[in-house]
Amino acid sequence: RVAVVGAGVSGLTATKCCLDEGLKPTCFEQSRDIGGLWRYTEHIEAGRPSLYPSVISNTSKEMSAFSDFPYPEDFPVFLPNAQLLDYLRRYAERFCLWEHIRFGTTVVSIQKRPDFATTGQWDVVTEADGKQTSHIFDAIMVCSGNFSEPSLPLHCFPGIEKFQGQYFHSRQYKHPDVFQGKRVLVVGMGNSGVDIAVEASRVATKVTVCTGRGAWVFSRVFDHGYPWDMVFNTRLMSLIRNSLPGPLSWGLINYRVNQRFKHENYGLQPEKSCLVREPVLNDELPSYILTGRITIKPGVKEFKDNSVVFHNCPEEEPIDIIVFCTGYNISFPFLEEAVVKVENKHASLYKYVFPTHLQRPTLAVLGLIKPLGAIMPVTEMQARWVTRVFKGLCRLPPQSVMEKEVNEKKKNQVRWFGLSFDEVLKTDCLVYMDKLASFIGAKPNLLGLLCRDPRLALSVFFGPCTPYQYRLGGPGRWEGARQAILTQWDRTLKPTRTRVPAGSSSPCPSLLTVMGFLLLLAAVVFGF
């Protein structure tokens, strides 16, 4: 018996993977519906993520699909939140997940049973309609997300107590009319901060975004009009990124992201361009800066009654409203602190999933990661691995080995990505997925594919690394995976290629077959 906490993206795929492995899941969802982050509500609900109605996915539908359930071909390439929620409903319906979800049920506490060292079992207390119930479960999958508890470090902003205007965290934002005729300051330059700044600039008198570190700005529309992640996240590109010496690899990326526009000229250049930053996905920011709708400034030095002073900028700038886009804290209020250790706003977890110190590996945290790519297939792969660990089909390394890897990863990523409270959660999506897939025997065998099915092998290596690749073989093999891969560009371009002139070319990126064979064979021979 497995308790799944939360019925968002992670909770749904966790429930499904439990069923696939013959486990008995019970999914507890405190609200009255599925969807988690992707279910929009006009009012902010305590303990739940909150999004604004204009939110659109930053990853394309083919890269964001669950690995055995492609999106409908008529869905747009990047999905408004309502359509992504519709996809989740279809997923729940297709795999009969509804009957395993208990809505309106809050998980109050999860504690080890007295005989945990031998059984690995947990005491779980839930509450529904004011009544508490106790349960015993053999394993726990924590899928509660990390977008519910806003981080608002006001002590880091001198003078904020003097400020006479309005300020709030981005979690409270819903509609831009609050900015009508106002002078707006957005603190922070993540995806939410830039989205809010762009929306505010359409009605506000002035919008300023302040950032101490800058950011690379990607457009959803990438080379030749294709989705950014279908071009960026390929096995060939990953091989290049991870084979070249670090400075050379990231020098090439810096050059590439500056081809669209020179970030330095827009005030966006990261402070240390040799360090990788999570890119901001926004199609409008550069043009809004160019037309004066948005101004980029350095970090805040001090707030005054009705103004702000920025670092290296002596003059005060008048403002009426501040939006703090300062991220979220990681919080598991139903767990004892000793179960999942959270330090400096990150949890120490092996492969971002398992606590390293438990005597029995019967508790896992899903979705507590920020891949440079889509989150949905990542959480699904985590769930596939976790359920097989629960069944005893996969084994974890000794505690000392896991702790050593966790500590090394923290050090390496702080050095690699730069210092920021959530940077240690970020990882290369494809490398991470391949690692987990290798644990369960689902990583694509390129040499075998090249011998058996050259066309498919070329698509797997040169094309986008869509999640269907992890259903070609091994546990959970899906008969439709090959066809899904070979038709992924058809589904991508179906909703946009709505007018096709006579004599037009093929909609899909071409592959240079002979060179493709040689490169793929070389990659396999040299150990990719």
Side-chain angles (χ1 to χ4, degrees), residues 254-299:
N254 290 348
Y255 170 76
R256 180 66 186 84
V257 297
N258 274 309
Q259 279 189 310
R260 181 180 168 218
F261 68 93
K262 191 173 181 180
H263 284 60
E264 187 176 352
N265 292 343
Y266 288 69
L268 297 170
Q269 181 84 11
E271 280 294 312
K272 295 180 180 178
S273 58
C274 62
L275 298 178
V276 182
R277 301 292 190 187
E278 181 184 17
V280 170
L281 266 292
N282 194 277
D283 305 300
E284 298 162 302
L285 180 63
S287 64
Y288 277 42
I289 294 173
L290 205 59
T291 55
R293 290 186 175 189
I294 294 175
T295 303
I296 307 297
K297 290 284 189 178

Side-chain angles (χ1 to χ4, degrees), residues 417-437:
F417 288 109
L419 291 169
S420 176
F421 76 87
D422 60 355
E423 301 295 336
V424 291
L425 299 177
K426 293 174 185 158
T427 191
D428 186 305
C429 181
L430 200 157
V431 172
Y432 180 72
M433 291 272 283
D434 271 357
K435 176 59 72 174
L436 297 194

Side-chain angles (χ1 to χ4, degrees), residues 350 356 398-411:
Y350 176 63
T356 58
Q399 178 178 340
S400 60
V401 174
M402 293 192 290
E403 288 180 346
K404 181 179 179 183
E405 179 177 316
V406 168
N407 291 331
E408 297 246 334
K409 189 174 287 288
K410 283 184 205 171
K411 293 175 187 175

